[in-house]
Amino acid sequence: MFEKVWEAHEVVPETPDTPAVLYIDLHLIHEVTSPQAFSLLRERGLPVRRPDLTFATMDHSTPTRTEQIFGGAPIALESAAKQIRELEKNCREFGIELLDLRHDQRGIVHIIGPELGLTQPGKTIVCGDSHTSTHGAFGALAFGIGTTEVGHVFATQCLLQRKPRTLAVNVANRLRPGVTAKDLILAIIGKIGVAGGTGHVIEYRGEAVRALDMDGRMTICNMSIEAGARAGMIAPDETTFAYLAATPRAPKGGAWEAALERWKQLPSDPGARFDREVDIDAATLEPMITYGTNPGMVVPITGSIPDRRDDPMFAKALEYMGFEPGAPIKDRPIDVVFVGSCTNARLSDLRAAAQVLRGRRIARGVQMLVVPGSQQVKRQAEAEGLHRIFIEAGAEWRESGCSMCIGMNGDTVERGRYSLSTSNRNFEGRQGAGARTLLASPLTAAASAVRGRITDPRELLDA
Amino acid sequence: MEPIRIIRSRTVVLPVDNIDTDQIIPARFLRTTTKEGLGRQLFADWRYDAQGQPNPDFVLNRPEAQGCAILVAGRNFGCGSSREHAPWALVDYGLRAVISTEFADIFRNNALKNGLLPVTVDEATSAWLLANPGVELTIDLERTTLALPNGTEVRFPIEAFARYCLLNGIDELGFLLGRKTEIEAYERRRSAA
Ligand code: SF4
C-alpha cells in the first residue's frame, strides 16, 4: 500500500545523488510551526503555490476556557494571542482557508482533517506536527515535517524525501472487553521500542485492526511516531468508506464513485513484502499504562514496574517519576486526569470515559479535565448528554484544543503531580515543568479518576 | 547558509538515551513567531532549577563546556515532537554537530536544514565518546570522517544530497523551485486523470 501511494506521488524519482521530489495533496498548518515558514516566503517574495491544497486551524496554544473564546475575555497568554493573530494575518495574506478560534468546525488539526473528509485514502498529507501520522488510518501517507519543510510545501507543493522502509505489524485475534486501541498501540510500542520504527512506515494489519472503528484506527496510527516511525497506515475498507461518506468534504456523486474505485485498489496485494514484520496477539493484551518518561516504558495495569536498577537511564526515569522498581503500578494515587488530545479526544473516546463515569463522582482532590478534540466532537457529545455526565461527576468540560497534552495554552500540571493522561507523550515536563505523566486509555483514565488511584477499568465496567 | 567542511571542537557529553525534543526545548518556549534567541532556553528544564537559576551540576553549565560546538548524546537523539525549534535552539546556543548512535527521522531532517550535522556512529565509538567528555574531535564532512584524538578515523553515513547542500551552502528550496517544469507536468497529468 505504501509503495502504491509513494509511486503515485513521485514527481521525480530518487537517485543515489538526490531524494525523490514527492507531491503533497494536503498541507495542514497550525499556529505554532508555521510563522517562520511564512517569513521565509516573504523574504524570498514567493506565493503559496497551492492555497487550495493548504488548510489552517489553531489548536496548540489556544485557550480552552469558553469565556476566552466566546465570552470576550482576553486570551490569558499574550504570546499565544500573538501567534493566533499572526496565523490569521498570514492566512489572509496568502489566501489560505482558516478555521479560526470561533469557527464551529475548529479543533485539533489531526481530528478535524478526518472529520471534514479532507483526509482521504491514497493522499499524501503533511503538517508541521509529528502526529500527522494519525491520518494514515485512512490509507493515506501522512507524516510530520519541520518548519523549513512547511516552507518548501508552501512554495512548491513538494518535498524532497528518501523512500522509507516498510514494517508490517500483524495483530492477530480480537481485543478483549475493556482493552482498547490505546492499549494495543502502547503494547506495540512497548514491544518494538521508541526507536523501533525509525526510518520505517508501519502498516498495521490483522483481525484486531480490521475490527476497530475509525476512531480506534486513528488512535493507533497517531502513536506510530512514538515508536519512531515516519508514518503509520491502515488499509481502507468498508469501515473507512462508511466514515468518509458522512463527511462534508469527501467527494460526492460521480466523484465519490470514482474515488471509491481508486481507493479499493490501495490495499497491499496478498503476499506483499515488507522490510520487517512484527506479530502481536491482541487476545493476550490487558489495559496498558506507562510508568516512565517515554511511551515505550509501559506495563499491563495488573503488572509491576520493572526492576532494572543497574541501567542508569531507567533509574533516572524512575527517579523523575518518584517510583520504586518492582512495585505494582495499580492503586498508586493520582492528582490530575486528562481526557483529550489527538490520540483520544474523539467521540468514541468521550463515550468510553462517560460509560465509566455515568452515575459516579471523581475522587476528592482529583482534578479532571475533559477536552474534546474538536468543536464538532463537543457538539456531538453535548447532543448525547455526555457533558452532563462529566460535569456531574465533577470534571471540567472545556472547548477543544491540545490543552494539557502539551500545556502550551496554560493548561498545565504542577511540578511533582501525577497526571493520568489519554495523550501520547509522557516525556519529562510535557504537561508542565516537573509534571509526572502516565499514559493510558480513556477507560482507564475515567476509572482511575473515580478511585483517585490507578484502576483497572474492568473492575468498574463489570460492576 | 554558510558552507560546512570541517568542524573541530572539544565535546560536551550528555549521556542520556532518547533525548526528546521536549527536553531540547520545552513547549512553553514555542509561543514565538521567530527563530532567534532560542539558545537561552536550550535544555531549559535540565539547565535551570524551578526558580530559573542555572543548575550547577548540569553539564552545559560547567566551565569546561563553554565554547564546545560538538554534543555527544545517547541513542535515539531528537525523538518526539517535530518542532524545528530544537535544532534552532541547538544552533543558536553554538552547537554545530551532534553525535549519537541513532537520530529520530524528523529531527535529522530538521538539523540538516539548519547546518547542524547529525553524526551517526557505531556503539563502540559512541561508548568511548560518552566515557571521555571534553576530547578534541575533527569532523570532516567532505570525507565524511570523524577523527578521534588518537588519530583513528571513523566514517559516518550522511545522505548524499544533504551533504552536497551543506558543503556548498545551498538550501534545498532552490533545488525544489528548480523542478518547476516537472511539478507543473505532474499537476497536468494528475488533473487529466
Ligand atoms: S493534541 Fe498533543 S500531540 Fe496532538 S497535535 Fe496537539 S499537542 Fe500535538
Side-chain angles (χ1 to χ4, degrees):
Chain A
M1 175 168 53
F2 158 74
E3 309 270 343
K4 294 182 192 176
V5 181
W6 177 274
E7 276 161 26
H9 291 85
E10 278 176 335
V11 174
V12 184
E14 69 178 353
T15 70
D17 290 335
T18 48
V21 177
L22 196 71
Y23 198 80
I24 302 304
D25 294 325
L26 175 63
H27 185 197
L28 302 165
I29 63 169
H30 63 72
E31 75 278 23
V32 177
T33 55
S34 67
Q36 297 87 350
F38 282 112
S39 304
L40 177 78
L41 293 182
R42 285 199 189 90
E43 274 162 32
R44 307 235 185 159
L46 292 166
V48 172
R49 181 179 174 82
R50 295 295 301 267
D52 57 322
L53 302 180
T54 313
F55 191 82
T57 191
M58 35 183 73
D59 50 7
H60 279 68
S61 52
T62 55
T64 52
R65 290 192 182 276
T66 307
E67 64 276 14
Q68 289 181 25
I69 298 181
F70 299 107
I75 294 172
L77 295 168
E78 176 46 33
S79 50
K82 180 161 183 279
Q83 272 188 335
I84 289 166
R85 285 196 302 270
E86 182 109 355
L87 183 64
E88 288 168 347
K89 174 172 146 262
N90 285 330
C91 288
R92 253 196 324 271
E93 188 174 329
F94 288 91
I96 295 166
E97 182 178 355
L98 165 71
L99 298 185
D100 65 12
L101 198 55
R102 296 185 187 190
H103 198 286
D104 65 1
Q105 289 175 329
R106 188 186 62 84
I108 304 173
V109 60
H110 310 307
I111 296 208
I112 63 169
E115 205 171 67
L116 294 172
L118 291 168
T119 302
Q120 292 165 17
K123 275 192 178 182
T124 46
I125 303 176
V126 297
C127 173
D129 193 289
S130 60
H131 292 100
T132 309
S133 58
T134 313
H135 308 261
F138 291 78
L141 173 60
F143 52 91
I145 57 177
T147 297
T148 301
E149 290 175 312
V150 170
H152 292 178
V153 182
F154 278 159
T156 67
Q157 202 58 32
C158 290
L159 277 176
L160 286 168
Q161 289 286 309
R162 285 282 171 196
K163 194 172 183 175
R165 291 177 298 252
T166 54
L167 164 63
V169 173
N170 305 307
V171 191
N173 300 316
R174 298 280 181 116
L175 294 168
R176 292 179 295 178
V179 186
T180 68
K182 179 64 162 287
D183 303 302
L184 171 56
I185 187 63
L186 284 172
I188 292 171
I189 298 165
K191 185 170 168 123
I192 68 176
V194 288
T198 303
H200 292 77
V201 168
I202 301 178
E203 183 177 334
Y204 302 95
R205 302 149 61 86
E207 189 185 346
V209 176
R210 294 264 74 88
L212 292 172
D213 63 8
M214 289 316 295
D215 287 3
R217 293 180 189 185
M218 284 187 259
T219 301
I220 303 277
C221 287
N222 174 275
M223 289 190 73
S224 302
I225 179 72
E226 308 316 330
R230 205 71 188 88
M233 296 177 87
I234 294 175
D237 59 12
E238 291 307 322
T239 306
T240 322
F241 307 145
Y243 177 103
L244 283 171
T247 60
R249 301 207 190 190
K252 305 283 176 229
W256 169 262
E257 296 303 325
L260 212 51
E261 270 318 298
R262 284 199 314 276
W263 296 345
K264 287 182 176 165
Q265 309 303 316
L266 282 172
S268 298
D269 305 321
R273 294 271 294 262
F274 297 87
D275 295 311
R276 267 171 68 205
E277 298 211 29
V278 170
D279 296 313
I280 192 160
D281 181 358
T284 61
L285 297 182
E286 297 194 70
M288 303 293 287
I289 186 162
T290 65
Y291 60 87
T293 53
N294 72 53
M297 301 178 82
V298 62
V299 286
I301 200 158
T302 52
S304 297
I305 296 165
D307 191 346
R308 299 207 306 263
R309 279 168 224 260
D310 42 337
D311 175 350
M313 306 299 157
F314 185 83
K316 178 177 179 292
L318 252 51
E319 189 193 321
Y320 181 86
M321 293 301 292
F323 288 164
E324 285 296 311
I329 190 82
K330 228 175 81 166
D331 290 329
R332 306 194 72 90
I334 51 168
D335 306 298
V336 176
V337 174
F338 174 59
V339 174
S341 89
C342 57
T343 311
N344 280 126
R346 285 170 283 268
L347 188 60
S348 52
D349 301 312
L350 301 188
R351 282 181 184 150
Q355 179 192 354
V356 174
L357 289 177
R358 181 171 285 122
R360 295 193 169 106
R361 282 198 60 84
I362 63 174
R364 265 165 65 134
V366 172
Q367 182 199 10
M368 182 173 186
L369 220 64
V370 185
V371 182
S374 71
Q375 294 306 95
Q376 198 169 312
V377 168
K378 181 168 191 256
R379 275 194 308 283
Q380 288 167 335
E382 288 178 350
E384 292 182 12
L386 303 184
H387 65 308
R388 272 199 300 278
I389 297 174
F390 296 131
I391 292 166
E392 280 162 19
E396 293 170 52
W397 176 243
R398 298 280 188 94
E399 303 294 334
S400 70
C402 296
S403 181
M404 218 179 243
C405 170
I406 189 163
M408 277 191 72
N409 70 339
D411 294 344
T412 52
V413 176
E414 280 172 50
R415 191 173 290 275
R417 298 279 170 150
Y418 289 98
S419 162
L420 211 173
S421 174
T422 66
S423 55
N424 43 49
R425 288 190 172 138
N426 51 346
F427 298 154
E428 285 183 29
R430 171 78 178 184
Q431 296 191 290
R436 293 157 159 170
T437 302
L438 299 100
L439 303 174
S441 74
L443 286 177
T444 303
S448 304
V450 169
R451 297 235 178 113
R453 298 174 170 277
I454 294 170
T455 301
D456 185 336
R458 293 171 298 188
E459 293 169 19
L460 294 188
L461 289 172
D462 295 343
Chain B
M1 207 158 51
E2 291 285 302
I4 301 179
R5 237 151 246 271
I6 306 274
I7 300 169
R8 192 174 291 126
S9 165
R10 280 178 300 112
T11 63
V12 55
V13 170
L14 209 46
V16 180
D17 290 346
N18 302 313
I19 295 179
D20 57 77
T21 54
D22 273 88
Q23 305 318 313
I24 300 173
I25 178 134
R28 60 186 183 280
F29 303 119
L30 270 44
R31 288 187 301 257
T32 168
T33 53
T34 63
K35 304 177 185 180
E36 281 70 46
L38 291 168
R40 274 195 305 279
Q41 285 124 16
L42 178 69
F43 297 117
D45 287 341
W46 291 345
R47 210 161 127 207
Y48 308 107
D49 65 17
Q51 284 70 47
Q53 295 307 311
N55 165 10
D57 294 336
F58 185 62
V59 37
L60 288 189
N61 292 331
R62 293 204 204 115
E64 64 272 22
Q66 307 316 310
C68 291
I70 301 177
L71 174 68
V72 178
R75 76 187 75 243
N76 194 28
F77 187 84
C79 57
S81 156
S82 61
R83 61 190 68 165
E84 198 161 322
H85 309 68
W88 293 337
L90 290 159
V91 169
D92 188 56
Y93 176 84
L95 290 160
R96 310 286 306 282
V98 183
I99 304 177
S100 173
T101 53
E102 187 172 19
F103 290 90
D105 293 326
I106 306 178
F107 176 83
R108 180 200 287 108
N109 281 339
N110 287 340
L112 288 168
K113 289 178 175 58
N114 289 280
L116 178 70
L117 200 61
V119 178
T120 311
V121 295
D122 58 90
E123 294 282 346
T125 306
S126 168
W128 188 86
L129 289 170
L130 288 168
N132 293 278
V135 295
E136 176 100 11
L137 299 180
T138 304
I139 299 171
D140 184 334
L141 179 58
E142 177 103 62
R143 297 168 53 233
T144 62
T145 55
L146 169 74
L148 303 177
N150 67 3
T152 329
E153 288 196 342
V154 188
R155 288 195 75 97
F156 62 89
I158 181 165
E159 199 274 316
F161 186 69
R163 172 173 166 272
Y164 170 81
C165 290
L166 289 171
L167 281 172
N168 297 289
I170 297 174
D171 78 32
E172 296 181 0
L173 180 56
F175 178 86
L176 271 173
L177 288 166
R179 299 283 89 77
K180 192 165 171 224
T181 321
E182 288 91 339
I183 296 169
E184 283 171 354
Y186 178 88
E187 285 178 335
R188 273 197 304 278
R189 224 163 46 232
R190 282 281 294 266
S191 53

